[in-house]
Amino acid sequence: MRVQIFADIHGDIASLRRAVSVDADFYIAAGDLVTWPAPLEPCAGALAHLGDRLWVMPGNNEKADQVREFCDRNGFRNFHETSVEIGGHHFVGLGYSNPTPFDTPGEYTEEELAERLARFADLRPQILVCHAPPKDTELDQAAPGLHFGSTAVRDYIDRHQPAYCFCGHVHEAEGRVVRLGATLAANVGKRGYRLEL
């Protein structure tokens, strides 16, 4: 099974086409297809051929209802705050980010993130896909000493050790891959990451 996971396209249709040109069984858009308040529909042309093989979650630049309506109109799967079991693997999705200085529409408090992640704790083996990266790792580092990730996501990984964690949000960390205990974690960015299971 091959899964292509990408994030932070921000309306760059050429990069979106490249991300989904990778051969995979299904695809996960892990937030920020656009930059608020841009509409999602211009992205549909590059994605239409994927149908329900595309799973979409909101980043901090989208609202949950906006993503749900986009998926309903185009036959995609809304992957926000849900889990899907395929081949014995539990894929769990949580969009939005922890609070930012930019007052974007897709933000949860750390408490809200923790509450939503707790619903997935017993699913094993687990592949966690969230827009927000774990705090104080290479995945949330924008510059030396500047970390903008989520303490709730980091705590969840430390406690529950999903097999994988894929995130985005902090563009400067795109492409970085780290081990957090037993968890292989990556900031996928717009170039994406192809997971082979």
Side-chain angles (χ1 to χ4, degrees):
M1 176 168 48
R2 297 157 303 173
V3 187
Q4 171 73 350
I5 308 160
F6 58 93
D8 303 308
I9 296 294
H10 290 283
D12 181 349
I13 301 300
S15 289
L16 181 58
R17 291 187 190 281
R18 279 193 295 273
V20 299
S21 70
V22 173
D23 186 33
D25 297 299
F26 61 97
Y27 301 78
I28 301 175
D32 285 359
L33 280 172
V34 296
T35 300
W36 179 257
L40 282 166
E41 210 56 41
C43 297
L47 301 170
H49 66 288
L50 298 176
D52 63 3
R53 294 191 303 135
L54 174 67
W55 305 0
V56 185
M57 65 172 59
N60 59 297
N61 278 277
E62 295 118 353
K63 293 182 178 180
D65 58 354
Q66 179 187 17
V67 166
R68 183 178 59 253
E69 291 164 7
F70 178 67
C71 290
D72 288 347
R73 281 194 306 272
N74 293 285
F76 308 139
R77 181 190 290 263
N78 179 8
F79 190 49
H80 181 46
E81 297 190 18
T82 191
S83 65
V84 181
E85 183 179 357
I86 296 182
H89 299 277
H90 296 274
F91 289 83
V92 302
L94 181 62
Y96 283 24
S97 75
N98 47 303
T100 76
F102 309 112
D103 193 31
T104 48
E107 299 180 16
Y108 285 144
T109 65
E110 293 290 358
E111 293 77 15
E112 289 171 325
L113 286 167
E115 175 186 296
R116 285 160 171 80
L117 285 167
R119 303 170 189 166
F120 304 131
D122 295 332
L123 299 177
R124 301 264 190 263
Q126 182 178 127
I127 299 160
L128 172 65
V129 184
C130 51
H131 188 66
K135 179 78 171 172
D136 292 330
T137 65
E138 289 184 35
L139 309 182
D140 80 322
Q141 184 175 340
L146 289 177
H147 293 268
F148 295 106
S150 165
T151 56
V153 172
R154 176 64 185 270
D155 182 60
Y156 181 85
I157 292 170
D158 288 346
R159 288 186 183 197
H160 301 291
Q161 295 283 274
Y164 298 93
C165 173
F166 298 103
C167 62
H169 188 51
V170 177
H171 301 177
E172 295 87 349
E174 177 181 14
R176 293 183 186 161
V177 180
V178 298
R179 277 253 173 222
L180 300 172
T183 302
L184 180 70
N187 184 318
V188 297
K190 66 171 60 175
R191 287 176 292 193
Y193 184 104
R194 189 171 80 163
L195 173 65
E196 297 199 23
L197 297 169

